[in-house]
Amino acid sequence: METATIQTPTGAELHRKLAAVDPGAYGPEACDRHAAEIRQILQLKRERNAIVLAHNYQRPEIFEIADFIGDSLELARAARAAEAEVIVFCGVHFMAETAKILNPERMVLLPEMRAGCSLAESVTAEALAERKAELAKLYPDLAVVSYVNCTADVKALSDACCTSANAVRIVEAIDSEHVLFVPDRNLADYVQSKSRKQIISWDGNCYVHHQITPTEIERVRNSIPGIQVLAHPECRRDVLALADAVLSTSAMMRYARESAADKFLIVTECGLSDRLLMEVPNKRFFKACKLCHYMKMITLGGTLDALRNLRYEITLPDEVIAGARQALEKMLELGG
Ligand code: 13P
Ligand code: SF4
């Protein structure tokens, strides 16, 4: 993936675009400040031979500096194909680690090291090794499938990784009838509802999606006739039961663009609804209004500092890279 030529917007252009998302947060003065930072970031990107990869949950102004915006699977593929010397990852820590693992020759920078993930924190390599050893006695064919929302050393203990876009496909394709699925219990439940294999789940959850309740969905459905409900598989089973479609973040983008429907409730982190509001102006989007505070730690100012000072660099021991890479490559091989 080569560096793209991105035009610097003026403050007024930015205001026209971002006011659709939040008129209060993106007034003329804020947009002038953002436009000045965007100009400096684009200049530094050229000087450093850097690209910016951004997750769908990032702030709308971050989308303006991104060479590529996508879900975890698309970002992993983009990172692997990157030819620029520096990859600035506007997302969370496990995503930047994934980029480093798939393309270790590049310098990978995360603008804010505290940008973590509640799912990644819920499983350690030590706890996984212990559980795996216990279960292997019961199920000699046991395979470990780890959702990419985990640390590199957890990936290194896995047979394959998966993302929300390909979890069912990976579990079905892996050569085992017994799968220990870590760390998201809700995604494991969703996969179990689509597979005859035996899924043994870890007890982690995403604090953003797990807090969404069926009552919130029903209230919107009852008050807006004809609304389509799109939900992320990190949501609870009783929430998914009310959805018209269960999709990864980028699959929600495609579904909303292509569907004949014109009103949607987007049951995931709010950044995705912001992206839809900006890119699909002819349809109406209602937000679940949940913010991932880790994703929102990435700002234009932090990204500018990252490029200026080449920080914070993701480094991993060679043996962890090698172990985690086989699980990620297995995902790319089995999961398209
Ligand atoms: P996606 O892979 O669907 O973008 O999800 C990533 C994530 O962190 C969801 O909370
Ligand atoms: Fe992690 Fe949830 Fe934030 Fe995604 S939304 S990065 S799963 S805490």
Side-chain angles (χ1 to χ4, degrees), residues 55 57 92 94-95 116-120 147 149 184 205-209 232 234 268-269 291-295:
H55 186 263
Y57 294 160
V92 291
F94 75 81
M95 294 179 176
C117 168
S118 68
L119 271 170
Y147 188 32
N149 300 38
D184 188 5
N205 64 58
C206 159
Y207 85 100
V208 179
H209 291 85
H232 195 277
E234 286 174 17
T268 189
E269 207 270 350
L291 291 179
C292 172
H293 76 276
Y294 300 110
M295 285 280 179

Side-chain angles (χ1 to χ4, degrees), residues 33 38 50 64 109 121 128 146 208 219 239 244 268 302 318 327:
R33 272 197 312 278
I38 290 170
E64 297 296 312
L109 304 177
E121 281 163 20
L128 175 57
S146 60
V208 179
R219 205 173 39 231
V239 168
D244 293 291
T268 189
D318 289 346

Side-chain angles (χ1 to χ4, degrees), residues 27-331:
E29 279 177 23
C31 287
D32 281 344
R33 272 197 312 278
H34 288 326
E37 284 178 324
I38 290 170
R39 191 173 319 111
Q40 294 175 67
I41 289 171
L42 297 181
Q43 171 68 26
L44 268 172
K45 271 174 59 181
R46 283 189 290 274
E47 288 170 23
R48 298 284 196 201
N49 186 15
I51 55 165
V52 172
L53 303 184
H55 186 263
N56 284 322
Y57 294 160
Q58 288 292 292
R59 295 167 182 272
E61 61 271 28
I62 295 286
F63 296 151
E64 297 296 312
I65 54 161
D67 296 85
F68 184 81
I69 309 168
D71 67 10
S72 311
L73 181 61
E74 293 169 331
L75 288 166
R77 285 204 204 101
R80 190 168 177 264
E83 287 169 9
E85 283 171 52
V86 179
I87 299 172
V88 182
F89 210 104
C90 291
V92 291
H93 191 269
F94 75 81
M95 294 179 176
E97 271 190 349
T98 299
K100 182 70 187 174
I101 294 160
L102 287 171
N103 203 341
E105 303 304 311
R106 311 289 160 227
M107 174 184 273
V108 177
L109 304 177
L110 180 67
E112 170 56 69
M113 271 301 191
R114 291 172 307 152
C117 168
S118 68
L119 271 170
E121 281 163 20
S122 69
V123 55
T124 62
E126 294 71 30
L128 175 57
E130 212 173 292
R131 185 82 177 118
K132 194 174 154 181
E134 271 166 27
L135 287 168
K137 290 183 207 144
L138 296 173
Y139 310 113
D141 71 332
L142 186 82
V144 177
V145 174
S146 60
Y147 188 32
V148 285
N149 300 38
C150 64
T151 58
D153 51 0
V154 166
K155 289 183 175 76
L157 291 178
S158 309
D159 295 284
C161 291
C162 72
T163 74
S164 62
N166 61 16
V168 175
R169 190 149 26 129
I170 300 293
V171 166
E172 286 296 288
I174 203 143
D175 191 16
S176 173
E177 288 304 305
H178 299 94
V179 176
L180 171 58
F181 191 97
V182 297
D184 188 5
R185 179 176 284 277
N186 290 334
L187 182 59
D189 254 17
Y190 175 68
V191 173
Q192 185 67 87
S193 74
K194 304 277 171 202
S195 172
R196 297 164 76 114
K197 293 189 176 183
Q198 186 176 344
I199 314 291
I200 303 133
S201 64
W202 201 260
D203 196 18
N205 64 58
C206 159
Y207 85 100
V208 179
H209 291 85
H210 197 67
Q211 64 183 296
I212 301 169
T213 62
T215 317
E216 293 169 71
I217 313 299
E218 272 159 354
R219 205 173 39 231
V220 180
R221 231 204 224 298
N222 294 339
S223 57
I224 309 174
I227 194 163
Q228 286 265 304
V229 177
L230 310 186
H232 195 277
E234 286 174 17
C235 293
R236 290 161 29 174
R237 187 195 315 188
D238 51 5
V239 168
L240 297 185
L242 299 173
D244 293 291
V246 177
L247 301 163
S248 79
T249 54
S250 286
M252 285 184 192
M253 292 291 302
R254 288 190 287 276
Y255 187 103
R257 276 200 183 99
E258 290 162 16
S259 160
D262 64 353
K263 307 186 268 299
F264 302 87
L265 173 63
I266 303 299
V267 190
T268 189
E269 207 270 350
C270 278
L272 199 266
S273 327
D274 294 344
R275 193 175 167 207
L276 282 163
L277 285 166
M278 288 162 74
E279 294 185 23
V280 192
N282 56 328
K283 299 195 178 184
R284 294 175 69 200
F285 298 99
F286 298 84
K287 306 181 186 190
C289 255
K290 307 293 179 216
L291 291 179
C292 172
H293 76 276
Y294 300 110
M295 285 280 179
K296 268 40 185 188
M297 284 179 185
I298 307 296
T299 60
L300 285 177
T303 307
L304 187 52
D305 282 347
L307 277 160
R308 258 193 205 129
N309 304 308
L310 294 178
R311 73 180 192 201
Y312 297 96
E313 188 177 359
I314 302 291
T315 56
L316 289 164
D318 289 346
E319 63 279 12
V320 174
I321 291 192
R325 193 171 184 169
Q326 55 79 30
L328 283 164
E329 292 290 354
K330 190 79 180 167
M331 167 181 86

